[in-house]
Amino acid sequence: MSDVVSEIPTELHAGGPGLVQARRLVTEIPGPRSRERLERKKAHVADGVGTMLPVFVTAAGGGVLHDVDGNSLIDLGSGIAVTTVGNAAPSVVANVQRQVEAFTHTCFMITPYDGYVDVCAELARLTPGDHAKKSALFNSGAEAVENAVKIARTATGRDAVAVFDHAYHGRTNLTMAMTAKNMPYKHGFGPFANEVYRAPMSYPLRDGLSGEEAAARAIDVLDKQVGADNLSCIVIEPLQGEGGFVVPAPGFLPALAAWAGERGVLLVADEIQSGFCRTGDWFACDHEGVVPDLVTTAKGIAGGLPLAAVTGRAEVMDSVHAGGLGGTYGGNPVACAAALGAIEEMQAHDHNARARQVGAIMTERLTALQQKHPVVAEIRGRGAMMAIELNQPGTTTPDAARAAAASSYCHSQGVVTLTCGTWGNVFRFLPPLSISDELLHEAFDVVAEAFDATA
Ligand SMILES: *Cc1c(COP(=O)(O)O)cnc(C)c1O
C-alpha cells in the first residue's frame, strides 16, 4: 500500500478550452499511474466512496479530460451535469481568481457581500415565471431540497411531502427518504424521515399513458392515500436524472401543477440536474411553460464549484422566520463568483442554442444506433441531456448487463460515459456544451463500436 507515488509527475497543468481537443490513448485505461493511485485511494479513502472510472485527472476543458498517464479522454458526463459550461471555463476561472484573492469567506449570515445577492438576482431573472422571487443559497443539491421542504412546510403549515417513482433527490436523511432507489443510495441507512409519500411517475415507454392520464393516476394516489389538505408540496424532477432521464408525457406536469395550485399544495421543481441550459432551455419546466412555486438548483449553476439554491415566490420564501435558513458556507463568495462567471458563459455563448445542437447530433447518432441494435428500446431526453433505455428486444425487460458492458467498452476506449435508471439499463449522455462537434462525433463513433462489440 504505497503512500508515496513513485516517480510520477503530479503537476497539474492548465485546463480550459485551450487544451488540445483530441482523444489520445498512450496506455490502457486506467493506465499504470492511475492504477498506482487507485491503490493509494483504497488505503486512505472510505470504500463507500466509489469511483466509476479510476483515471486520475490533471486537467480538463473543452470536451476532454487529461490523466496522469498522459491520456486524453472525451467527456460525455460533465461530472454528472456540472461542468455544462466546460471545465475551467474562462469566465469561471477569472471570477474565481479575482474573488479568491480578495476574500474567501466571511459567512453571509455574519457579514454579507455582493456576490450572494447578485446570484439571487440572476436566479430571479432566469427561473420560470415573472412573479416576485427570492432565493437562499446552499452548498449541495440535497441541502437545497431539504430547505425547499422546510420552506414549503412553513408556508403551508402542512407536513406531508409527495415524490415520485424513480426520483432522485440526494443522500441526506430526508432526501434519502425522497429518493426512490434502494441500492446504492438507501440500503442499510434507515430509518428514514417520515411523511414522505410516493406517487406513480409518467413513464411513457412503460405505462403507455398520456400526460393527463398519468397525472390523474398520480393525483388519485395523493388524494386518497395522503389527502391534499395534508400535503405541503409535490417535489418533482421535470426531467428525471438518476432515475433514467424519464421525460413525462406532455401535459403531465401542467396537470399536476394545476391540481396543486387548486389545493394549496406547493409545486417544487427539482432542476438540480436539468437546469442551467442543459435541456436547451434555462430550465426543463420551460419546455411546457410550467411555473413552479419553488425551484431547486445546483450542479450546473457554478461551473464546478459547490453551490445550490432554492428560488421561489417571494411570499413563500419569506414565510420562514429570520435565522431559519442558512449554513456556514451557503453561498460562499468563491462559489458565487463562479456562478456569475458560469451564467456569463451561458449567455455569451448562447448555451441554450448549443444544447439543442448537441441534442440534435446525439439524436441523429442514437437513431442510427437504434436502427442497428434492437436492444435500444427508446431514445429520450431534451437538448444535451439524452439517454437510451436498453431492454431485451420487443419487451420491457431491462438489460442492465448490456448497459454496463457498453459503458465499460467506452471507458476502455477513452470516452467517459455514465449509466443510470432504476434498473441500471439506461445509458445517459451529458456532454459539456464546450465540446466540439468533431469530438462529439468521435465519442459517438466509440459508442457505436461499443454496441457492435457487445452484441
Ligand atoms: C444530484 C441531484 C441531487 C443531489 O445533489 P447533490 O449536490 O449531490 O447533493 C438532487 N436532485 C437531483 C435531481 C440531482 O440530480
Side-chain angles (χ1 to χ4, degrees):
M1 222 53 77
S2 57
D3 212 66
V4 179
V5 180
S6 61
E7 59 81 31
I8 295 172
T10 53
E11 288 295 296
L12 299 174
H13 61 99
L19 277 185
V20 176
Q21 296 296 305
R23 180 169 61 114
R24 184 186 62 220
L25 300 186
V26 296
T27 69
E28 70 281 346
I29 301 291
R33 290 171 176 179
S34 278
R35 290 201 303 273
E36 191 174 2
R37 284 168 168 79
L38 186 60
E39 286 310 307
R40 237 179 119 237
K41 179 214 168 234
K42 283 180 184 152
H44 296 295
V45 180
D47 288 349
V49 183
T51 43
M52 178 195 75
L53 172 53
V55 298
F56 280 70
V57 173
T58 53
V64 297
L65 301 165
H66 284 196
D67 78 3
V68 288
D69 288 287
N71 299 300
S72 174
L73 293 81
I74 304 177
D75 182 11
L76 294 184
S78 300
I80 319 186
V82 169
T83 53
T84 306
V85 297
N87 231 304
S91 307
V92 173
V93 171
N95 278 14
V96 165
Q97 281 175 342
R98 208 177 321 123
Q99 181 61 48
V100 84
E101 283 167 3
F103 63 96
T104 49
H105 174 82
T106 63
C107 187
F108 189 78
M109 300 182 301
I110 309 298
T111 49
Y113 39 88
D114 284 338
Y116 189 116
V117 183
D118 291 341
V119 169
C120 295
E122 288 294 73
L123 284 163
R125 187 170 69 82
L126 297 171
T127 52
D130 46 19
H131 50 282
K133 294 173 211 158
K134 291 190 177 184
S135 293
L137 304 184
F138 304 97
N139 304 295
S140 69
E143 206 188 346
V145 173
E146 292 248 356
N147 278 278
V149 171
K150 282 165 62 173
I151 295 162
R153 284 175 169 162
T154 314
T156 59
R158 305 171 183 176
D159 293 337
V161 174
V163 293
F164 289 84
D165 287 334
H166 315 292
Y168 182 85
H169 297 295
R171 295 172 179 268
T172 57
N173 187 266
L174 174 59
T175 59
M176 277 193 291
M178 296 169 69
T179 289
K181 193 173 175 176
N182 173 50
M183 205 54 163
Y185 307 122
K186 305 169 73 164
H187 186 72
F189 297 146
F192 301 112
N194 56 18
E195 288 305 311
V196 175
Y197 299 91
R198 196 169 304 283
M201 179 65 184
S202 168
Y203 196 146
L205 176 69
R206 287 177 178 274
D207 63 25
L209 299 178
S210 71
E212 289 72 17
E213 291 163 344
R217 178 179 64 170
I219 288 166
D220 191 55
V221 168
L222 297 177
D223 227 2
K224 298 298 175 292
Q225 297 181 24
V226 190
D229 293 350
N230 299 313
L231 203 51
S232 63
C233 58
I234 294 175
V235 182
I236 187 163
E237 298 157 86
L239 196 172
Q240 287 187 321
E242 300 299 309
F245 284 21
V246 180
V247 186
F252 177 75
L253 294 172
L256 269 185
W259 179 79
E262 284 159 19
R263 302 306 176 95
V265 178
L266 298 178
L267 184 69
V268 182
D270 182 347
E271 294 258 15
I272 288 168
Q273 191 155 156
S274 55
F276 285 103
C277 305
R278 179 47 64 184
T279 64
D281 219 324
W282 280 100
F283 294 93
C285 279
D286 293 327
H287 292 277
E288 283 197 272
V290 169
V291 178
D293 300 296
L294 298 173
V295 182
T296 55
T297 52
K299 293 201 166 94
I301 192 175
L305 273 82
L307 187 71
V310 181
T311 302
R313 294 187 186 282
E315 67 280 12
V316 172
M317 295 297 292
D318 285 343
S319 64
V320 177
H321 51 278
L325 303 175
T328 306
Y329 291 112
N332 167 272
V334 182
C336 286
L340 295 168
I343 292 167
E344 204 178 300
E345 294 274 341
M346 293 173 204
Q347 292 176 144
H349 303 294
D350 194 354
H351 273 174
N352 285 322
R354 181 61 188 149
R356 291 192 295 271
Q357 287 167 357
V358 164
I361 293 173
M362 294 199 291
T363 303
E364 176 202 314
R365 299 300 306 258
L366 293 172
T367 303
L369 191 75
Q370 185 178 37
Q371 279 158 4
K372 193 163 177 199
H373 297 283
V375 70
V376 180
E378 186 176 55
I379 303 165
R380 61 176 179 248
R382 293 187 193 279
M385 185 170 180
M386 297 294 301
I388 46 179
E389 175 163 339
L390 306 182
N391 292 332
Q392 274 160 30
T395 74
T396 52
T397 309
D399 193 346
R402 187 68 180 278
S407 194
S408 37
Y409 180 93
C410 291
H411 299 170
S412 73
Q413 299 304 307
V415 178
V416 182
T417 50
L418 311 176
T419 58
C420 64
T422 295
W423 298 277
N425 63 327
V426 179
F427 208 136
R428 63 172 152 173
F429 305 100
L430 292 162
L433 299 177
S434 51
I435 196 169
S436 67
D437 287 2
E438 293 70 30
L439 268 190
L440 190 61
H441 275 294
E442 185 176 341
F444 278 86
D445 292 344
V446 173
V447 171
E449 265 171 48
F451 278 82
D452 293 339
T454 55

